[in-house]
Every structure is written in C-alpha cells, then in structure tokens.
Amino acid sequence: MSSETTPFGTMGTALLLRSQRLQMLASNIANAATPGYKARDVDFGAAMDAAQNGLAIDASVARATRYRVPVNPSLDGNTVEMSTEQTQFAENAVQYRATLSFLEGRISTLRRALKGE
C-alpha cells in the first residue's frame, strides 16, 4: 500500500523513517567508546524517496544508510563524534515531534468528521 493511500499519507512514512533514524543515532551515541565502530546515519531524503516509490521502510532505511566521515578520526578507528551525533539526534527529535504533532492534528480532524462536528 503506498503512503498516499493511507489516512496519514507521507507524514506516516516520515514518522516511521524519523523513528528509524533516531534509533540509528542513539546506537552511534551508545557505541562512542567502542573501538572500530563506524558511525552511520540515514539520508532522510533518499529514504523518503525510496519509501514513496514502494520500497518497505526497513529497505528504504537500509538503502539510504551512509557511514559518517569524521572531522577528527580517532586512533582506535571509531568514527563517532559526540557533538555531531547529539546535534543530529536533537534535530531529528524536533522533526519527529513536529511530524507527530501534524499527525495528531489530522487524527483530531478525522475524529471530528466521524462524530459529525
């Protein structure tokens, strides 16, 4: 089922993708001290395009996942830079919340329509 045929449209897809990205960024932060760990991120635009073209959410995320290139590489091969990860996590969390608020408004509108208000 395409995102345009669901009641939540592309916003539902965006919410799922933002959730997946939050998990990936949290994983980066959790592995900041793991030698050899390679930080990853999701190219949200590429993932959204893939999902809108019929690819499943997990497959869209996998296709749009990129390894982060560190500004200051560590000697142990870990590419997590906490300031970058925390900034990306905070920005994505704000975007997640904005998308969720939009969906809550849409749900409220559907409820009112069903009640005949």
PDB file of all heavy atoms in Angstrom, residues 47-88:
ATOM      1  N   ALA A  47      15.781   8.124   1.803  1.00  0.00           N
ATOM      2  CA  ALA A  47      14.903   7.101   2.389  1.00  0.00           C
ATOM      3  C   ALA A  47      13.444   7.404   2.085  1.00  0.00           C
ATOM      4  O   ALA A  47      12.661   6.505   1.761  1.00  0.00           O
ATOM      5  CB  ALA A  47      15.131   7.014   3.898  1.00  0.00           C
ATOM      6  N   MET A  48      13.084   8.672   2.158  1.00  0.00           N
ATOM      7  CA  MET A  48      11.703   9.073   1.871  1.00  0.00           C
ATOM      8  C   MET A  48      11.362   8.806   0.407  1.00  0.00           C
ATOM      9  O   MET A  48      10.289   8.277   0.105  1.00  0.00           O
ATOM     10  CB  MET A  48      11.520  10.548   2.222  1.00  0.00           C
ATOM     11  CG  MET A  48      10.109  10.999   2.229  1.00  0.00           C
ATOM     12  SD  MET A  48       9.218  10.272   3.613  1.00  0.00           S
ATOM     13  CE  MET A  48       7.686  11.128   3.457  1.00  0.00           C
ATOM     14  N   ASP A  49      12.285   9.141  -0.488  1.00  0.00           N
ATOM     15  CA  ASP A  49      12.054   8.867  -1.913  1.00  0.00           C
ATOM     16  C   ASP A  49      11.862   7.380  -2.159  1.00  0.00           C
ATOM     17  O   ASP A  49      10.960   6.975  -2.901  1.00  0.00           O
ATOM     18  CB  ASP A  49      13.236   9.375  -2.750  1.00  0.00           C
ATOM     19  CG  ASP A  49      13.268  10.890  -2.868  1.00  0.00           C
ATOM     20  OD1 ASP A  49      12.246  11.552  -2.575  1.00  0.00           O
ATOM     21  OD2 ASP A  49      14.337  11.422  -3.249  1.00  0.00           O
ATOM     22  N   ALA A  50      12.712   6.558  -1.554  1.00  0.00           N
ATOM     23  CA  ALA A  50      12.617   5.108  -1.740  1.00  0.00           C
ATOM     24  C   ALA A  50      11.287   4.578  -1.203  1.00  0.00           C
ATOM     25  O   ALA A  50      10.625   3.758  -1.847  1.00  0.00           O
ATOM     26  CB  ALA A  50      13.795   4.407  -1.062  1.00  0.00           C
ATOM     27  N   ALA A  51      10.881   5.069  -0.031  1.00  0.00           N
ATOM     28  CA  ALA A  51       9.615   4.620   0.561  1.00  0.00           C
ATOM     29  C   ALA A  51       8.426   5.050  -0.295  1.00  0.00           C
ATOM     30  O   ALA A  51       7.475   4.292  -0.484  1.00  0.00           O
ATOM     31  CB  ALA A  51       9.477   5.164   1.982  1.00  0.00           C
ATOM     32  N   GLN A  52       8.479   6.248  -0.845  1.00  0.00           N
ATOM     33  CA  GLN A  52       7.378   6.726  -1.684  1.00  0.00           C
ATOM     34  C   GLN A  52       7.319   5.995  -3.022  1.00  0.00           C
ATOM     35  O   GLN A  52       6.286   5.989  -3.674  1.00  0.00           O
ATOM     36  CB  GLN A  52       7.487   8.231  -1.894  1.00  0.00           C
ATOM     37  CG  GLN A  52       7.147   9.009  -0.647  1.00  0.00           C
ATOM     38  CD  GLN A  52       7.253  10.501  -0.834  1.00  0.00           C
ATOM     39  OE1 GLN A  52       8.128  10.984  -1.545  1.00  0.00           O
ATOM     40  NE2 GLN A  52       6.367  11.239  -0.185  1.00  0.00           N
ATOM     41  N   ASN A  53       8.426   5.387  -3.403  1.00  0.00           N
ATOM     42  CA  ASN A  53       8.451   4.593  -4.634  1.00  0.00           C
ATOM     43  C   ASN A  53       8.132   3.124  -4.374  1.00  0.00           C
ATOM     44  O   ASN A  53       8.394   2.282  -5.224  1.00  0.00           O
ATOM     45  CB  ASN A  53       9.807   4.741  -5.336  1.00  0.00           C
ATOM     46  CG  ASN A  53       9.953   6.104  -5.974  1.00  0.00           C
ATOM     47  OD1 ASN A  53       8.999   6.648  -6.514  1.00  0.00           O
ATOM     48  ND2 ASN A  53      11.144   6.668  -5.905  1.00  0.00           N
ATOM     49  N   GLY A  54       7.587   2.826  -3.185  1.00  0.00           N
ATOM     50  CA  GLY A  54       7.089   1.487  -2.905  1.00  0.00           C
ATOM     51  C   GLY A  54       8.013   0.574  -2.127  1.00  0.00           C
ATOM     52  O   GLY A  54       7.646  -0.554  -1.823  1.00  0.00           O
ATOM     53  N   LEU A  55       9.203   1.017  -1.794  1.00  0.00           N
ATOM     54  CA  LEU A  55      10.125   0.188  -1.021  1.00  0.00           C
ATOM     55  C   LEU A  55       9.678   0.192   0.439  1.00  0.00           C
ATOM     56  O   LEU A  55       9.208   1.208   0.950  1.00  0.00           O
ATOM     57  CB  LEU A  55      11.537   0.756  -1.146  1.00  0.00           C
ATOM     58  CG  LEU A  55      12.711  -0.189  -0.978  1.00  0.00           C
ATOM     59  CD1 LEU A  55      12.630  -1.355  -1.954  1.00  0.00           C
ATOM     60  CD2 LEU A  55      14.018   0.557  -1.205  1.00  0.00           C
ATOM     61  N   ALA A  56       9.790  -0.946   1.104  1.00  0.00           N
ATOM     62  CA  ALA A  56       9.421  -1.049   2.514  1.00  0.00           C
ATOM     63  C   ALA A  56      10.292  -0.114   3.350  1.00  0.00           C
ATOM     64  O   ALA A  56      11.401   0.248   2.944  1.00  0.00           O
ATOM     65  CB  ALA A  56       9.594  -2.486   2.999  1.00  0.00           C
ATOM     66  N   ILE A  57       9.793   0.264   4.519  1.00  0.00           N
ATOM     67  CA  ILE A  57      10.516   1.211   5.383  1.00  0.00           C
ATOM     68  C   ILE A  57      11.915   0.701   5.708  1.00  0.00           C
ATOM     69  O   ILE A  57      12.903   1.430   5.557  1.00  0.00           O
ATOM     70  CB  ILE A  57       9.725   1.483   6.683  1.00  0.00           C
ATOM     71  CG1 ILE A  57       8.402   2.186   6.390  1.00  0.00           C
ATOM     72  CG2 ILE A  57      10.556   2.293   7.673  1.00  0.00           C
ATOM     73  CD1 ILE A  57       8.513   3.560   5.793  1.00  0.00           C
ATOM     74  N   ASP A  58      12.029  -0.544   6.155  1.00  0.00           N
ATOM     75  CA  ASP A  58      13.346  -1.095   6.512  1.00  0.00           C
ATOM     76  C   ASP A  58      14.291  -1.100   5.317  1.00  0.00           C
ATOM     77  O   ASP A  58      15.469  -0.772   5.444  1.00  0.00           O
ATOM     78  CB  ASP A  58      13.218  -2.509   7.084  1.00  0.00           C
ATOM     79  CG  ASP A  58      12.587  -2.518   8.471  1.00  0.00           C
ATOM     80  OD1 ASP A  58      12.589  -1.462   9.135  1.00  0.00           O
ATOM     81  OD2 ASP A  58      12.097  -3.582   8.891  1.00  0.00           O
ATOM     82  N   ALA A  59      13.777  -1.461   4.155  1.00  0.00           N
ATOM     83  CA  ALA A  59      14.603  -1.477   2.944  1.00  0.00           C
ATOM     84  C   ALA A  59      14.985  -0.058   2.530  1.00  0.00           C
ATOM     85  O   ALA A  59      16.106   0.181   2.065  1.00  0.00           O
ATOM     86  CB  ALA A  59      13.872  -2.189   1.815  1.00  0.00           C
ATOM     87  N   SER A  60      14.080   0.884   2.719  1.00  0.00           N
ATOM     88  CA  SER A  60      14.368   2.280   2.397  1.00  0.00           C
ATOM     89  C   SER A  60      15.477   2.819   3.285  1.00  0.00           C
ATOM     90  O   SER A  60      16.390   3.500   2.817  1.00  0.00           O
ATOM     91  CB  SER A  60      13.114   3.149   2.573  1.00  0.00           C
ATOM     92  OG  SER A  60      12.106   2.747   1.688  1.00  0.00           O
ATOM     93  N   VAL A  61      15.404   2.489   4.573  1.00  0.00           N
ATOM     94  CA  VAL A  61      16.438   2.924   5.522  1.00  0.00           C
ATOM     95  C   VAL A  61      17.771   2.286   5.167  1.00  0.00           C
ATOM     96  O   VAL A  61      18.806   2.957   5.139  1.00  0.00           O
ATOM     97  CB  VAL A  61      16.034   2.602   6.977  1.00  0.00           C
ATOM     98  CG1 VAL A  61      17.197   2.805   7.933  1.00  0.00           C
ATOM     99  CG2 VAL A  61      14.844   3.463   7.396  1.00  0.00           C
ATOM    100  N   ALA A  62      17.747   0.994   4.866  1.00  0.00           N
ATOM    101  CA  ALA A  62      18.990   0.299   4.511  1.00  0.00           C
ATOM    102  C   ALA A  62      19.627   0.924   3.267  1.00  0.00           C
ATOM    103  O   ALA A  62      20.841   1.128   3.220  1.00  0.00           O
ATOM    104  CB  ALA A  62      18.718  -1.182   4.276  1.00  0.00           C
ATOM    105  N   ARG A  63      18.805   1.255   2.290  1.00  0.00           N
ATOM    106  CA  ARG A  63      19.325   1.840   1.051  1.00  0.00           C
ATOM    107  C   ARG A  63      19.893   3.242   1.285  1.00  0.00           C
ATOM    108  O   ARG A  63      20.839   3.655   0.617  1.00  0.00           O
ATOM    109  CB  ARG A  63      18.212   1.907   0.005  1.00  0.00           C
ATOM    110  CG  ARG A  63      18.680   2.519  -1.306  1.00  0.00           C
ATOM    111  CD  ARG A  63      17.611   2.518  -2.339  1.00  0.00           C
ATOM    112  NE  ARG A  63      17.448   1.161  -2.852  1.00  0.00           N
ATOM    113  CZ  ARG A  63      16.599   0.827  -3.811  1.00  0.00           C
ATOM    114  NH1 ARG A  63      15.835   1.744  -4.350  1.00  0.00           N
ATOM    115  NH2 ARG A  63      16.507  -0.413  -4.223  1.00  0.00           N
ATOM    116  N   ALA A  64      19.323   3.972   2.245  1.00  0.00           N
ATOM    117  CA  ALA A  64      19.724   5.357   2.479  1.00  0.00           C
ATOM    118  C   ALA A  64      20.732   5.516   3.621  1.00  0.00           C
ATOM    119  O   ALA A  64      21.071   6.633   3.993  1.00  0.00           O
ATOM    120  CB  ALA A  64      18.488   6.201   2.769  1.00  0.00           C
ATOM    121  N   THR A  65      21.210   4.405   4.171  1.00  0.00           N
ATOM    122  CA  THR A  65      22.182   4.483   5.265  1.00  0.00           C
ATOM    123  C   THR A  65      23.563   4.779   4.717  1.00  0.00           C
ATOM    124  O   THR A  65      24.014   4.176   3.749  1.00  0.00           O
ATOM    125  CB  THR A  65      22.202   3.161   6.069  1.00  0.00           C
ATOM    126  OG1 THR A  65      20.916   2.990   6.672  1.00  0.00           O
ATOM    127  CG2 THR A  65      23.263   3.188   7.153  1.00  0.00           C
ATOM    128  N   ARG A  66      24.220   5.736   5.367  1.00  0.00           N
ATOM    129  CA  ARG A  66      25.568   6.151   4.973  1.00  0.00           C
ATOM    130  C   ARG A  66      26.468   6.131   6.194  1.00  0.00           C
ATOM    131  O   ARG A  66      26.024   6.402   7.311  1.00  0.00           O
ATOM    132  CB  ARG A  66      25.563   7.580   4.426  1.00  0.00           C
ATOM    133  CG  ARG A  66      24.519   7.872   3.353  1.00  0.00           C
ATOM    134  CD  ARG A  66      24.905   7.318   1.999  1.00  0.00           C
ATOM    135  NE  ARG A  66      23.968   7.709   0.964  1.00  0.00           N
ATOM    136  CZ  ARG A  66      22.945   6.981   0.548  1.00  0.00           C
ATOM    137  NH1 ARG A  66      22.708   5.810   1.100  1.00  0.00           N
ATOM    138  NH2 ARG A  66      22.151   7.401  -0.412  1.00  0.00           N
ATOM    139  N   TYR A  67      27.740   5.832   5.970  1.00  0.00           N
ATOM    140  CA  TYR A  67      28.716   5.941   7.052  1.00  0.00           C
ATOM    141  C   TYR A  67      29.134   7.396   7.162  1.00  0.00           C
ATOM    142  O   TYR A  67      29.339   8.074   6.160  1.00  0.00           O
ATOM    143  CB  TYR A  67      29.932   5.046   6.791  1.00  0.00           C
ATOM    144  CG  TYR A  67      29.623   3.585   7.002  1.00  0.00           C
ATOM    145  CD1 TYR A  67      29.356   2.746   5.928  1.00  0.00           C
ATOM    146  CD2 TYR A  67      29.566   3.055   8.284  1.00  0.00           C
ATOM    147  CE1 TYR A  67      29.045   1.405   6.129  1.00  0.00           C
ATOM    148  CE2 TYR A  67      29.255   1.722   8.492  1.00  0.00           C
ATOM    149  CZ  TYR A  67      28.992   0.906   7.411  1.00  0.00           C
ATOM    150  OH  TYR A  67      28.679  -0.409   7.612  1.00  0.00           O
ATOM    151  N   ARG A  68      29.250   7.854   8.397  1.00  0.00           N
ATOM    152  CA  ARG A  68      29.635   9.233   8.641  1.00  0.00           C
ATOM    153  C   ARG A  68      31.157   9.372   8.522  1.00  0.00           C
ATOM    154  O   ARG A  68      31.899   8.560   9.042  1.00  0.00           O
ATOM    155  CB  ARG A  68      29.177   9.661  10.040  1.00  0.00           C
ATOM    156  CG  ARG A  68      29.187  11.155  10.208  1.00  0.00           C
ATOM    157  CD  ARG A  68      28.721  11.621  11.566  1.00  0.00           C
ATOM    158  NE  ARG A  68      27.438  11.167  12.049  1.00  0.00           N
ATOM    159  CZ  ARG A  68      26.245  11.575  11.613  1.00  0.00           C
ATOM    160  NH1 ARG A  68      26.157  12.419  10.613  1.00  0.00           N
ATOM    161  NH2 ARG A  68      25.131  11.135  12.163  1.00  0.00           N
ATOM    162  N   VAL A  69      31.592  10.408   7.839  1.00  0.00           N
ATOM    163  CA  VAL A  69      33.022  10.689   7.707  1.00  0.00           C
ATOM    164  C   VAL A  69      33.399  11.640   8.837  1.00  0.00           C
ATOM    165  O   VAL A  69      32.878  12.762   8.905  1.00  0.00           O
ATOM    166  CB  VAL A  69      33.336  11.323   6.333  1.00  0.00           C
ATOM    167  CG1 VAL A  69      34.813  11.668   6.236  1.00  0.00           C
ATOM    168  CG2 VAL A  69      32.910  10.389   5.207  1.00  0.00           C
ATOM    169  N   PRO A  70      34.288  11.218   9.738  1.00  0.00           N
ATOM    170  CA  PRO A  70      34.607  12.057  10.892  1.00  0.00           C
ATOM    171  C   PRO A  70      35.499  13.247  10.518  1.00  0.00           C
ATOM    172  O   PRO A  70      36.319  13.159   9.604  1.00  0.00           O
ATOM    173  CB  PRO A  70      35.351  11.105  11.826  1.00  0.00           C
ATOM    174  CG  PRO A  70      35.979  10.114  10.909  1.00  0.00           C
ATOM    175  CD  PRO A  70      35.012   9.952   9.762  1.00  0.00           C
ATOM    176  N   VAL A  71      35.338  14.336  11.248  1.00  0.00           N
ATOM    177  CA  VAL A  71      36.195  15.501  11.083  1.00  0.00           C
ATOM    178  C   VAL A  71      37.546  15.219  11.751  1.00  0.00           C
ATOM    179  O   VAL A  71      38.596  15.516  11.210  1.00  0.00           O
ATOM    180  CB  VAL A  71      35.540  16.765  11.691  1.00  0.00           C
ATOM    181  CG1 VAL A  71      36.477  17.962  11.626  1.00  0.00           C
ATOM    182  CG2 VAL A  71      34.235  17.069  10.985  1.00  0.00           C
ATOM    183  N   ASN A  72      37.483  14.610  12.942  1.00  0.00           N
ATOM    184  CA  ASN A  72      38.684  14.256  13.708  1.00  0.00           C
ATOM    185  C   ASN A  72      38.674  12.758  13.981  1.00  0.00           C
ATOM    186  O   ASN A  72      38.146  12.322  14.999  1.00  0.00           O
ATOM    187  CB  ASN A  72      38.724  15.019  15.043  1.00  0.00           C
ATOM    188  CG  ASN A  72      38.791  16.507  14.845  1.00  0.00           C
ATOM    189  OD1 ASN A  72      39.628  16.981  14.096  1.00  0.00           O
ATOM    190  ND2 ASN A  72      37.909  17.247  15.504  1.00  0.00           N
ATOM    191  N   PRO A  73      39.237  11.938  13.101  1.00  0.00           N
ATOM    192  CA  PRO A  73      39.211  10.496  13.318  1.00  0.00           C
ATOM    193  C   PRO A  73      39.983  10.107  14.583  1.00  0.00           C
ATOM    194  O   PRO A  73      40.989  10.717  14.926  1.00  0.00           O
ATOM    195  CB  PRO A  73      39.887   9.917  12.079  1.00  0.00           C
ATOM    196  CG  PRO A  73      40.398  11.061  11.283  1.00  0.00           C
ATOM    197  CD  PRO A  73      39.941  12.324  11.902  1.00  0.00           C
ATOM    198  N   SER A  74      39.468   9.093  15.288  1.00  0.00           N
ATOM    199  CA  SER A  74      40.143   8.633  16.499  1.00  0.00           C
ATOM    200  C   SER A  74      41.166   7.565  16.140  1.00  0.00           C
ATOM    201  O   SER A  74      41.101   6.932  15.085  1.00  0.00           O
ATOM    202  CB  SER A  74      39.128   8.084  17.501  1.00  0.00           C
ATOM    203  OG  SER A  74      38.586   6.877  17.027  1.00  0.00           O
ATOM    204  N   LEU A  75      42.100   7.355  17.036  1.00  0.00           N
ATOM    205  CA  LEU A  75      43.167   6.380  16.796  1.00  0.00           C
ATOM    206  C   LEU A  75      42.653   4.940  16.801  1.00  0.00           C
ATOM    207  O   LEU A  75      43.244   4.075  16.167  1.00  0.00           O
ATOM    208  CB  LEU A  75      44.275   6.545  17.847  1.00  0.00           C
ATOM    209  CG  LEU A  75      45.020   7.878  17.783  1.00  0.00           C
ATOM    210  CD1 LEU A  75      46.006   7.990  18.935  1.00  0.00           C
ATOM    211  CD2 LEU A  75      45.710   8.054  16.447  1.00  0.00           C
ATOM    212  N   ASP A  76      41.559   4.680  17.514  1.00  0.00           N
ATOM    213  CA  ASP A  76      41.043   3.311  17.594  1.00  0.00           C
ATOM    214  C   ASP A  76      40.075   2.961  16.461  1.00  0.00           C
ATOM    215  O   ASP A  76      39.492   1.888  16.437  1.00  0.00           O
ATOM    216  CB  ASP A  76      40.392   3.054  18.952  1.00  0.00           C
ATOM    217  CG  ASP A  76      39.111   3.856  19.170  1.00  0.00           C
ATOM    218  OD1 ASP A  76      38.692   4.620  18.266  1.00  0.00           O
ATOM    219  OD2 ASP A  76      38.520   3.710  20.253  1.00  0.00           O
ATOM    220  N   GLY A  77      39.888   3.884  15.498  1.00  0.00           N
ATOM    221  CA  GLY A  77      39.041   3.606  14.343  1.00  0.00           C
ATOM    222  C   GLY A  77      37.578   3.925  14.542  1.00  0.00           C
ATOM    223  O   GLY A  77      36.767   3.748  13.639  1.00  0.00           O
ATOM    224  N   ASN A  78      37.206   4.400  15.727  1.00  0.00           N
ATOM    225  CA  ASN A  78      35.826   4.771  15.994  1.00  0.00           C
ATOM    226  C   ASN A  78      35.558   6.115  15.314  1.00  0.00           C
ATOM    227  O   ASN A  78      36.345   7.045  15.435  1.00  0.00           O
ATOM    228  CB  ASN A  78      35.611   4.882  17.512  1.00  0.00           C
ATOM    229  CG  ASN A  78      34.166   5.131  17.873  1.00  0.00           C
ATOM    230  OD1 ASN A  78      33.553   6.062  17.387  1.00  0.00           O
ATOM    231  ND2 ASN A  78      33.633   4.294  18.734  1.00  0.00           N
ATOM    232  N   THR A  79      34.439   6.208  14.588  1.00  0.00           N
ATOM    233  CA  THR A  79      34.132   7.445  13.863  1.00  0.00           C
ATOM    234  C   THR A  79      33.015   8.263  14.515  1.00  0.00           C
ATOM    235  O   THR A  79      32.534   9.223  13.913  1.00  0.00           O
ATOM    236  CB  THR A  79      33.759   7.143  12.400  1.00  0.00           C
ATOM    237  OG1 THR A  79      32.579   6.338  12.377  1.00  0.00           O
ATOM    238  CG2 THR A  79      34.890   6.450  11.663  1.00  0.00           C
ATOM    239  N   VAL A  80      32.614   7.907  15.731  1.00  0.00           N
ATOM    240  CA  VAL A  80      31.565   8.651  16.429  1.00  0.00           C
ATOM    241  C   VAL A  80      32.153   9.942  16.990  1.00  0.00           C
ATOM    242  O   VAL A  80      33.142   9.914  17.709  1.00  0.00           O
ATOM    243  CB  VAL A  80      30.943   7.821  17.576  1.00  0.00           C
ATOM    244  CG1 VAL A  80      29.944   8.656  18.364  1.00  0.00           C
ATOM    245  CG2 VAL A  80      30.292   6.568  17.040  1.00  0.00           C
ATOM    246  N   GLU A  81      31.536  11.043  16.635  1.00  0.00           N
ATOM    247  CA  GLU A  81      31.882  12.336  17.215  1.00  0.00           C
ATOM    248  C   GLU A  81      30.643  12.808  17.985  1.00  0.00           C
ATOM    249  O   GLU A  81      29.616  13.106  17.383  1.00  0.00           O
ATOM    250  CB  GLU A  81      32.285  13.335  16.133  1.00  0.00           C
ATOM    251  CG  GLU A  81      33.575  12.933  15.446  1.00  0.00           C
ATOM    252  CD  GLU A  81      33.982  13.856  14.318  1.00  0.00           C
ATOM    253  OE1 GLU A  81      33.128  14.182  13.477  1.00  0.00           O
ATOM    254  OE2 GLU A  81      35.155  14.227  14.298  1.00  0.00           O
ATOM    255  N   MET A  82      30.763  12.818  19.301  1.00  0.00           N
ATOM    256  CA  MET A  82      29.598  13.050  20.151  1.00  0.00           C
ATOM    257  C   MET A  82      28.857  14.349  19.830  1.00  0.00           C
ATOM    258  O   MET A  82      27.628  14.352  19.805  1.00  0.00           O
ATOM    259  CB  MET A  82      30.004  13.015  21.626  1.00  0.00           C
ATOM    260  CG  MET A  82      30.258  11.609  22.134  1.00  0.00           C
ATOM    261  SD  MET A  82      28.823  10.518  21.962  1.00  0.00           S
ATOM    262  CE  MET A  82      27.800  11.119  23.293  1.00  0.00           C
ATOM    263  N   SER A  83      29.579  15.425  19.574  1.00  0.00           N
ATOM    264  CA  SER A  83      28.891  16.689  19.298  1.00  0.00           C
ATOM    265  C   SER A  83      28.030  16.570  18.037  1.00  0.00           C
ATOM    266  O   SER A  83      26.896  17.045  18.005  1.00  0.00           O
ATOM    267  CB  SER A  83      29.887  17.834  19.175  1.00  0.00           C
ATOM    268  OG  SER A  83      30.801  17.585  18.127  1.00  0.00           O
ATOM    269  N   THR A  84      28.548  15.914  17.019  1.00  0.00           N
ATOM    270  CA  THR A  84      27.791  15.719  15.781  1.00  0.00           C
ATOM    271  C   THR A  84      26.576  14.838  16.031  1.00  0.00           C
ATOM    272  O   THR A  84      25.457  15.160  15.598  1.00  0.00           O
ATOM    273  CB  THR A  84      28.684  15.078  14.698  1.00  0.00           C
ATOM    274  OG1 THR A  84      29.778  15.941  14.435  1.00  0.00           O
ATOM    275  CG2 THR A  84      27.903  14.824  13.413  1.00  0.00           C
ATOM    276  N   GLU A  85      26.779  13.736  16.740  1.00  0.00           N
ATOM    277  CA  GLU A  85      25.678  12.797  16.996  1.00  0.00           C
ATOM    278  C   GLU A  85      24.584  13.445  17.839  1.00  0.00           C
ATOM    279  O   GLU A  85      23.390  13.285  17.555  1.00  0.00           O
ATOM    280  CB  GLU A  85      26.193  11.529  17.692  1.00  0.00           C
ATOM    281  CG  GLU A  85      27.232  10.768  16.905  1.00  0.00           C
ATOM    282  CD  GLU A  85      26.813  10.363  15.509  1.00  0.00           C
ATOM    283  OE1 GLU A  85      25.621  10.097  15.269  1.00  0.00           O
ATOM    284  OE2 GLU A  85      27.692  10.321  14.631  1.00  0.00           O
ATOM    285  N   GLN A  86      24.979  14.180  18.863  1.00  0.00           N
ATOM    286  CA  GLN A  86      23.998  14.821  19.730  1.00  0.00           C
ATOM    287  C   GLN A  86      23.210  15.887  18.976  1.00  0.00           C
ATOM    288  O   GLN A  86      21.998  16.004  19.148  1.00  0.00           O
ATOM    289  CB  GLN A  86      24.677  15.419  20.959  1.00  0.00           C
ATOM    290  CG  GLN A  86      25.181  14.353  21.907  1.00  0.00           C
ATOM    291  CD  GLN A  86      26.056  14.902  23.018  1.00  0.00           C
ATOM    292  OE1 GLN A  86      26.683  15.947  22.867  1.00  0.00           O
ATOM    293  NE2 GLN A  86      26.098  14.187  24.128  1.00  0.00           N
ATOM    294  N   THR A  87      23.888  16.634  18.120  1.00  0.00           N
ATOM    295  CA  THR A  87      23.215  17.656  17.322  1.00  0.00           C
ATOM    296  C   THR A  87      22.221  17.010  16.355  1.00  0.00           C
ATOM    297  O   THR A  87      21.072  17.450  16.251  1.00  0.00           O
ATOM    298  CB  THR A  87      24.239  18.503  16.539  1.00  0.00           C
ATOM    299  OG1 THR A  87      25.116  19.138  17.471  1.00  0.00           O
ATOM    300  CG2 THR A  87      23.556  19.545  15.670  1.00  0.00           C
ATOM    301  N   GLN A  88      22.663  15.975  15.650  1.00  0.00           N
ATOM    302  CA  GLN A  88      21.783  15.287  14.702  1.00  0.00           C
ATOM    303  C   GLN A  88      20.598  14.642  15.420  1.00  0.00           C
ATOM    304  O   GLN A  88      19.471  14.671  14.921  1.00  0.00           O
ATOM    305  CB  GLN A  88      22.566  14.234  13.915  1.00  0.00           C
ATOM    306  CG  GLN A  88      23.598  14.809  12.967  1.00  0.00           C
ATOM    307  CD  GLN A  88      22.969  15.676  11.902  1.00  0.00           C
ATOM    308  OE1 GLN A  88      21.973  15.322  11.285  1.00  0.00           O
ATOM    309  NE2 GLN A  88      23.546  16.846  11.694  1.00  0.00           N
TER     310      GLN A  88
END
